[in-house]
């Protein structure tokens, strides 16, 4: 649990080194998988499609959802 300003958020660290952050109401904020691929279910379809089309040999290792 981490307090950032007036907001409260939670961070989960996995044994494989991945890190997940979410808000106090359980809303996903950020995932960082280090050198591993972020699970497809956490990345919006348009982003996955763009990456596969333009960077076919690459994969997403970090994903962050901004407020706006």
């Amino acid at each position: 649990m981490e307090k950032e300003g007036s907001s409260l958020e939670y961070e989960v660290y996995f044994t494989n080194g991945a890190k997940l952050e979410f808000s106090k109401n359980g809303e996903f904020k950020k995932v960082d998988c280090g050198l591993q691929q972020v699970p497809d279910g956490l990345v919006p379809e348009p982003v996955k499609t763009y990456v596969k089309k333009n960077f076919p040999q690459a994969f997403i290792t970090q994903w962050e959802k901004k407020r706006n």
Side-chain angles (χ1 to χ4, degrees):
M1 183 170 68
E2 183 177 281
K3 190 168 186 172
E4 188 174 297
S6 62
S7 66
L8 184 64
E9 66 179 34
Y10 296 89
E11 296 179 355
V12 178
Y13 296 89
F14 295 94
T15 55
N16 67 358
K19 177 182 167 185
L20 176 67
E21 295 180 18
F22 57 97
S23 65
K24 67 179 178 180
N25 64 357
E27 186 176 315
F28 163 78
K29 292 178 77 176
K30 180 179 179 179
V31 63
D32 184 348
C33 292
L35 298 176
Q36 299 178 30
Q37 183 175 354
V38 170
D40 281 341
L42 295 178
V43 180
E45 195 61 43
V47 174
K48 287 189 292 190
T49 302
Y50 177 85
V51 170
K52 286 179 184 178
K53 179 181 175 187
N54 295 289
F55 307 98
Q57 302 301 318
F59 55 86
I60 299 169
T61 60
Q62 184 178 68
W63 178 253
E64 184 172 0
K65 182 178 178 184
K66 299 285 187 175
R67 276 190 344 194
N68 303 2

